[in-house]
Amino acid sequence: NSSRSKLLLIWSIRRSIVFTSILTALFILIAFKLNAFFRSENLISYTTPMLVSLAAVPLLVLIYISQSYLQGFRKIFSALFAEKLVKPFLFVATAGIIFLVTQGQLLSFTSVATINIVSFFIALIIILFAVRQTTDENQVLTAEKSTVDNWKKTSMTFFFFNIVTLLYLRADILALGFFEVPEQIGIYN
């Protein structure tokens, strides 16, 4: 049902933006106020790139939701084009141009994080354009309370399943984070 899918897209985006904002603020509070992640002196230089990188979290969430929406309409190429092709190309091309312009100087972590944010933002614009082309502007956007309740129940199930999956997939990196320096974890990752 096209009108329901558009309503579900809008509902998901709104909830995800609120949830992502709360989690990001909570992480910043824990990381910087309680010194949970940046305790040692060798990690202090990563504070600014980390804060810049956190801006990518809401962008990535919006990209993933839009990808799911497009994949539901069997528009796989449109769903993956921005994140899998455009974003990496922009990132590598921009970093390469800066590297050449600065005559071989290494990029700082803050520069890399900034380039990454810009790449995410451009990819988001492209995928939102694809979503816009898929949706019809004349659709009625109303959903029954029972439908919204079902969405909430289902979203919580998927939320917890995804948390467990992400922790399982990244358990090795999380464990190494307690024993190794960030450079070594980055190489391993």
Side-chain angles (χ1 to χ4, degrees):
N1 185 330
S2 185
S3 63
R4 267 200 184 163
S5 64
K6 185 176 180 183
L7 185 61
L8 180 59
L9 174 70
I10 294 167
W11 181 84
S12 299
I13 287 174
R14 286 181 183 160
R15 290 179 70 90
S16 297
I17 287 174
V18 169
F19 185 72
T20 304
S21 300
I22 291 170
L23 274 183
T24 304
L26 185 63
F27 176 80
I28 291 171
L29 177 74
I30 291 170
F32 298 108
K33 293 293 183 184
L34 303 177
N35 292 323
F37 297 104
F38 297 100
R39 282 181 260 192
S40 61
E41 288 293 321
N42 62 340
L43 294 178
I44 290 175
S45 63
Y46 296 102
T47 303
T48 302
M50 181 63 144
L51 288 174
V52 171
S53 295
L54 284 173
V57 172
L59 300 177
L60 185 61
V61 167
L62 293 175
I63 287 172
Y64 283 164
I65 290 172
S66 300
Q67 281 178 345
S68 298
Y69 180 79
L70 290 171
Q71 288 172 352
F73 281 102
R74 294 183 176 90
K75 297 189 179 238
I76 306 302
F77 182 78
S78 297
L80 300 177
F81 175 73
E83 190 216 356
K84 301 295 183 191
L85 295 174
V86 173
K87 184 192 148 319
F89 173 77
L90 286 173
F91 180 81
V92 170
T94 305
I97 290 169
I98 292 172
F99 183 76
L100 292 174
V101 168
T102 60
Q103 298 175 349
Q105 286 184 336
L106 295 178
L107 295 171
S108 69
F109 285 121
T110 305
S111 299
V112 171
T114 304
I115 293 169
N116 196 34
I117 292 294
V118 171
S119 300
F120 268 115
F121 186 72
I122 292 171
L124 178 62
I125 289 171
I126 291 169
I127 200 164
L128 288 178
F129 182 72
V131 166
R132 178 105 175 160
Q133 286 182 327
T134 303
T135 59
D136 183 81
E137 292 299 319
N138 299 321
Q139 297 169 353
V140 178
L141 296 179
T142 58
E144 304 84 33
K145 182 175 177 3
S146 62
T147 303
V148 173
D149 289 341
N150 286 336
W151 289 348
K152 287 178 184 177
K153 290 175 188 173
T154 306
S155 68
M156 291 306 291
T157 302
F158 281 122
F159 170 71
F160 289 115
F161 179 74
N162 282 329
I163 286 176
V164 171
T165 303
L166 283 173
L167 288 175
Y168 174 73
L169 291 174
R170 296 293 183 177
D172 54 344
I173 295 170
L174 292 172
L176 282 175
F178 293 108
F179 304 109
E180 296 292 334
V181 295
E183 292 87 356
Q184 294 298 322
I185 298 169
I187 291 169
Y188 174 79
N189 190 24

